[in-house]
Amino acid sequence: MAKKDELAVIDTQNLQVVPAADDLATIMGELQDMGTLPYGRIQIGAAGAGIFQVTEPGEDEPVVATEVTAVVILNHRTNVLWLSKFGTVEDRTPDCMSFDGEEGIDRETGEIRKCEQCAYNKFGSADGGTSRGKACKNTRRLYLMRPSDVFPSMLTLPSTALSTFDKYRTKVMLSKNKLHGVVTKITLKKASNKDGIAYSTPIFEIVGVLPADEAQRVKQYADAFQSAMSHSAVYEEPSGSVAAPTYTPPAAVTDDDADELPFD
């Protein structure tokens, strides 16, 4: 029996986190020939409802869930800028997009912008300078593999959840594990901003540790999927739909990368 302060090792006899090796080879072969990767989408419901909207790959209609249990196989920062409010223009492509939170590319000019120096990435730039927030949305994408998934689902964390996820990553590291080696449960709690507007914020919990051989299989899957991502970038529109921009991003990061620090 595990000690009180130890994490239980998940019994994977009936738990398939990633496809079997033969299936994986076939899947990755197909992915290399696809223009848009078949991600699932997991969105946080609005107005503090405390629910996720989960859209499976290839489906259009979401189902409702109150929690998500999965392995975080990849994650990376993103910065997204829309100069026009959603619904006011037909083209929903971001005006600027960064897949690493450091450099973005202007859609119209192709200019590469340093996010740290960009005026749109400063507090007080939102809504034409009338809001204390940023015009550029700082987010982080998590790529989640739930049991029996074939493709990962993408969950985009809003800026209000970034510090919570950083603290969770720190907790995982302090437990001497890696994100791709633990099973994470994500739930939601109600919160409100300074204007009294309610929203749901995610809570992360380690619910078990994968055996070493299963964690290695997850890492191999993540590496293969990361390779497929290198030629098929996606962004998430305000509506939650997924489309491909003209800019191909650098590969997503894993928790094995040297620059993946607990706070960035």
Side-chain angles (χ1 to χ4, degrees), residues 99 229-233 245-250:
F99 282 85
M229 287 175 62
S230 67
H231 65 83
S232 182
T246 56
Y247 174 58
T248 299

Side-chain angles (χ1 to χ4, degrees), residues 62 140 158:
R140 180 173 286 273

Side-chain angles (χ1 to χ4, degrees), residues 51-157:
I51 60 171
F52 294 100
Q53 293 183 322
V54 180
T55 306
E56 302 291 344
E59 299 294 332
D60 295 321
E61 297 298 325
V63 297
V64 171
T66 57
E67 64 180 52
V68 174
T69 300
V71 176
V72 182
I73 64 169
L74 297 168
N75 73 94
H76 64 84
R77 291 186 293 167
T78 56
N79 290 336
V80 187
L81 173 68
W82 282 276
L83 294 177
S84 299
K85 287 185 178 297
F86 178 68
T88 63
V89 292
E90 183 175 349
D91 186 354
R92 300 171 184 174
T93 307
D95 293 278
C96 187
M97 181 77 188
S98 170
F99 282 85
D100 60 6
E102 297 181 3
E103 291 185 340
I105 184 166
D106 186 289
R107 180 187 63 177
E108 295 294 331
T109 66
E111 172 192 3
I112 295 178
R113 298 176 176 175
K114 293 289 186 180
C115 296
E116 185 178 359
Q117 303 168 4
C118 182
Y120 293 115
N121 197 31
K122 305 295 183 183
F123 287 104
S125 61
D127 298 324
T130 62
S131 171
R132 59 176 170 262
K134 294 182 179 182
C136 184
K137 305 304 179 185
N138 302 151
T139 63
R140 180 173 286 273
R141 287 184 181 170
L142 309 185
Y143 300 86
L144 307 175
M145 287 294 291
R146 296 163 300 163
S148 300
D149 273 353
V150 174
F151 304 112
S153 293
M154 182 173 65
L155 169 63
T156 299
L157 299 180

Side-chain angles (χ1 to χ4, degrees), residues 43 82 86 92 235-241:
Q43 296 174 277
W82 282 276
F86 178 68
R92 300 171 184 174
Y235 69 84
E236 192 168 5
E237 298 178 355
S239 65
S241 58

Side-chain angles (χ1 to χ4, degrees), residues 16-21 24 212-222:
Q16 179 183 319
V17 179
V18 296
L24 180 60
D213 57 344
E214 183 70 6
Q216 181 60 29
R217 285 194 348 105
V218 172
K219 180 62 168 60
Q220 290 171 350
Y221 177 93

